[in-house]
Amino acid sequence: MTINRRTILKAGAAAAALPLLGSRAFAQGEPLKVGFMLIGTPNDNGWNFGHAQGAKFMKDTLGELVAEPTIVENVPEGPDCERVLRELAQSGHKLIFATSFGYGDYVIKVAQQFPDVKFEHATGYQRSDNVATYNARFHEGRAVCGTIAGHLSKTGKAGYIGSFPIPEVVMGINSFVLAARKINPAFEITPVYISTWNDPAKEADAARAMIDQGIDIIAQHTDGPAALQVAEERGIVGGFGQGADMSAFAPKAQLTSIIDHWGPTYVQSAQAVIDGNWASADRWPGLKEGEVQIGPYNESIPADVVAAAEAVKNGQIDGSFNIFTGPINDHTGAEKVPAGVTLTDAELLSMDWYVEGVNPPA
Amino acid sequence: MQFRLEKRLEPSRLMLYATPIAAVLLTMVIGAVIFSLIGYDGIGAVREIFFTPLTNAFKWQDLGVKAAPLIIIGVGLSIAYRANVWNIGAEGQYVMGGLAATWVALSTYGMSGWWILPLMMLAGVIGGAAYAAIPALLKTRLGVNEILTSLMLTYASVQLVYYLVRAPWKDPMGMGFPQTRIFSEAARLPTIIPGTIVHMGVPIAVAVALIAWFVMSRSVFGYQMKVVGAAPHAARYGGFSENKTIWLAMLVSGGLAGMAGMLEVAGPFQRMVPGFPTNYGFTAIIVAFLGRLNPLGVIFAGIVMAITFVGGEVAQTSIGLSSSATGVFQAMMLFFLLAGDILVRYRIKRVAPAAEARA
């Protein structure tokens, strides 16, 4: 299925025509304008696609209450994004989603100039009266992927392509390795950071280099399916979709995928702005709330492995299992989390150390 | 009826100034047609990209801030290109200037004093010039093509940014994100119009262009650059050293790119981040040519390019035009300009079929 912005706009335009017929009263008299600022394009089939899908879900759910969502794509993390944020605020958008980590400083800055506009910053940590943050517990999905990797890897070595060594990414790496080592205690990975969220050429180069070094499973914390395509081409055991189901690009190699389902959170925020009760907060839902979902399992995965993966998933949903419960050793082998203790959210959000089994990148 | 290109005895001054304007106009017309044909609102696209940034007073500050680095780098490149020295690595020199300035800002962190910004400026200029000295040295000593070396050094400079912000310069409070801390007050460029984002770099850019115009048109240095570029044999005969010209061209263009790097890092960024290299150095190549390698022309070309960037974002928010459209418009502008260049040296002559037969 391909949903691009044009179809979203079409759906939006059709819905926008409805108020002309209806007689419904609006809190603000006219539909709420919602803006989305993306670091890539919705056709990356990953992170940005997920947010565009969320925007569409919001429009489809709230109908004539919201205008067709405005999506500004390819906005770099720097002064350029400040300009885009101001442009959105000045053109009447009362709710603006900034969906990349590096937008943080600029969101805070622009939000001060537009106190009546609500800003929400995905994956960020800085809040103010009109700036909220939101994220998804991707690391819960990483635990499911890690379980599969631990079972299926023959070499016991996996590759992991990261963007930047920020807590969000480090957390995912640790979750993946902890889960894999519960199955194969010798499992190890060497992450590679490529200093960008979306550069298919760099992602593919990193994947090739790691496969040449003997890994047979690959995971990535970047925006697109490039690494999976390399996995497919080289015929290694496989990899995982990130942000969206990427099986179309790697039908054999994608073992499963972590799907971000941002729609409900966007509906909730837009509704709160319309009702006039929006408040700055930090939201961090996960598998349980359905914001993080596990895509279909590849047919090639044996039934017992699927069962183990499902057990990890369901354990996280009902709260009986937490991947960050000790004992956990750091990469030097020293005990970091004692048995029975679970890391708090605050500890996760400032995570800057690797678990045993990760060879820290230079 | 047929047409033939006929060489002009002298390059046409009219065409010299008319073709850049024609290139911009043609870009608008052809752009509107193309985008209409593929199903967008083509006229709306041209309106939003080229006119809204000019008619909306809120956007003027953005134009100034975006144009400033393009103008400063473009002026330096126009001087080098006049001398037939093809510095393609202004992006790398811009980055090194930004890094040198960052080094000063971090070394003086927490200090105050009027001398910090001038020192950062000096470091930026030296950083950019020093980085441009590498291709100059390779060219003058070993005859290595400066296009290749300056271009490749750009990629090396970007890796250096990644290294520095990940390890030695990482912000201790940055949650692990690879970036330096925000500079202290004394290392940040002041805004010159309260309530806007217009910083010192904007008037500096105009001043740089004016000074460069004066130097190029009135001094021996400017004369040397132009003569070496236009007629290397005559220049040698006249006693101008070719190597010295290469050095001067690289150091001036590199130094100005470094200055732009300093102004960007101390102004809009206020810290070094992995996203610091934003292709200003490459875009400035288009600016230099669009400005006819004339420092005054570069001011206008810089503003035109800034309009397309700012307008591209307006078009995304208002009519949902893809961000790639901006690149298409910029590329079309350079294409039409280069294509139009032929009219400077040639004239189009109508050829009657009879004359054709005789010929």
Side-chain angles (χ1 to χ4, degrees), chain B residues 16 19-20 74-75 77-78 81-82 84-88 282-294 297-298 301 333-334 337-338 341:
Chain B
L16 193 64
T19 46
V75 164
L77 291 181
S78 68
Y81 295 166
R82 270 292 174 91
N84 264 347
V85 175
W86 301 104
N87 178 7
I88 305 296
F282 292 119
T283 311
I285 298 174
I286 307 184
V287 169
F289 280 105
L290 195 62
R292 279 278 168 244
L293 304 186
N294 175 326
V298 165
M333 215 143 51
L334 183 65
L337 179 77
L338 296 180
D341 262 2

Side-chain angles (χ1 to χ4, degrees), chain B residues 97-167:
Chain B
L99 285 178
T102 303
W103 175 67
V104 172
L106 295 179
S107 311
T108 60
Y109 188 78
M111 293 185 215
S112 58
W114 62 267
W115 50 272
I116 292 179
L117 279 171
L119 191 63
M120 286 169 71
M121 173 72 85
L122 187 68
V125 171
I126 293 176
Y131 210 52
I134 302 172
L137 185 74
L138 291 171
K139 169 85 175 181
T140 51
R141 286 293 167 88
L142 303 170
V144 183
N145 185 325
E146 77 276 17
I147 298 177
L148 285 175
T149 49
S150 63
L151 179 64
M152 290 193 294
L153 281 167
T154 298
Y155 301 108
S157 71
V158 173
Q159 294 304 321
L160 187 63
V161 173
Y162 292 167
Y163 166 72
L164 288 171
V165 298
R166 265 190 206 169

Side-chain angles (χ1 to χ4, degrees), chain A:
Chain A
M1 181 181 65
T2 56
I3 290 179
N4 58 30
R5 213 181 27 175
R6 228 175 301 165
T7 44
I8 293 174
L9 288 178
K10 258 185 230 155
L18 289 174
L20 301 173
L21 311 167
S23 58
R24 186 160 172 180
F26 295 102
Q28 297 181 334
E30 55 183 86
L32 175 71
K33 283 175 84 175
V34 184
F36 291 83
M37 186 166 77
L38 307 185
I39 192 163
T41 60
N43 57 18
D44 70 352
N45 296 291
W47 176 257
N48 296 294
F49 174 78
H51 287 285
Q53 289 287 88
K56 179 184 167 2
F57 183 91
M58 177 194 75
K59 177 65 198 164
D60 289 349
T61 309
L62 294 177
E64 69 270 35
L65 289 174
V66 291
E68 40 190 276
T70 304
I71 297 178
V72 186
E73 56 191 38
N74 278 336
V75 182
E77 296 173 323
D80 289 306
C81 83
E82 183 182 335
R83 196 168 58 240
V84 172
L85 287 168
R86 263 188 293 113
E87 161 75 24
L88 285 169
Q90 276 163 358
S91 54
H93 296 82
K94 294 291 173 207
L95 175 61
I96 298 170
F97 294 98
T99 66
S100 197
F101 180 89
Y103 296 151
D105 293 343
Y106 304 98
V107 172
I108 295 286
K109 204 164 152 187
V110 174
Q112 284 169 354
Q113 299 160 9
F114 296 93
D116 61 327
V117 176
K118 312 301 180 199
F119 294 82
E120 300 209 358
H121 180 211
T123 74
Y125 61 97
Q126 305 174 74
R127 280 173 293 283
S128 69
D129 282 349
N130 57 333
V131 178
T133 50
Y134 65 104
N135 204 345
R137 293 178 188 269
F138 313 113
H139 65 272
E140 295 181 346
R142 297 283 179 191
V144 178
C145 297
T147 305
I148 297 172
H151 277 284
L152 297 186
S153 175
K154 297 186 188 79
T155 63
K157 288 187 173 66
Y160 204 110
I161 302 172
S163 48
F164 303 99
I166 54 175
E168 170 197 342
V169 176
V170 171
M171 208 187 305
I173 292 174
N174 285 342
S175 173
F176 182 80
V177 174
L178 284 172
R181 283 172 74 92
K182 286 185 198 298
I183 314 299
N184 173 4
F187 191 87
E188 57 173 2
I189 69 162
T190 305
V192 169
Y193 289 112
I194 59 169
S195 298
T196 170
W197 291 105
N198 190 0
D199 185 335
K202 271 192 189 169
E203 292 165 50
D205 280 347
R208 284 190 199 100
M210 291 193 290
I211 291 171
D212 290 341
Q213 287 160 19
I215 61 135
D216 64 355
I217 295 264
I218 195 150
Q220 76 282 355
H221 199 134
T222 47
D223 292 350
L228 272 177
Q229 286 172 300
V230 172
E232 179 90 7
E233 175 190 307
R234 297 285 290 265
I236 61 170
V237 172
F240 304 94
Q242 153 70 2
D245 185 351
M246 299 173 170
S247 55
F249 298 89
K252 290 202 200 80
Q254 180 182 289
L255 301 172
T256 186
S257 54
I258 302 173
I259 298 173
D260 306 338
H261 189 43
W262 301 105
T265 199
Y266 288 156
V267 169
Q268 192 191 331
S269 294
Q271 189 67 56
V273 172
I274 292 166
D275 296 343
N277 60 10
W278 186 96
S280 172
D282 181 46
R283 297 192 305 278
W284 202 18
L287 280 170
K288 189 174 137 197
E289 295 82 357
E291 185 159 309
V292 176
Q293 297 175 350
I294 300 298
Y297 296 99
N298 197 302
E299 288 170 0
S300 66
I301 306 179
D304 60 322
V305 177
V306 170
E310 281 289 290
V312 168
K313 181 177 99 179
N314 293 326
Q316 294 182 100
I317 291 173
D318 66 26
S320 62
F321 174 78
N322 189 313
I323 189 69
F324 287 117
T325 300
I328 299 174
N329 293 345
D330 71 11
H331 77 270
T332 63
E335 185 181 83
K336 191 81 181 179
V337 185
V341 174
T342 302
L343 289 174
T344 63
D345 281 0
E347 285 167 329
L348 291 178
L349 291 171
S350 59
M351 191 174 251
D352 60 355
W353 53 277
Y354 295 101
V355 300
E356 200 168 15
V358 179
N359 303 311

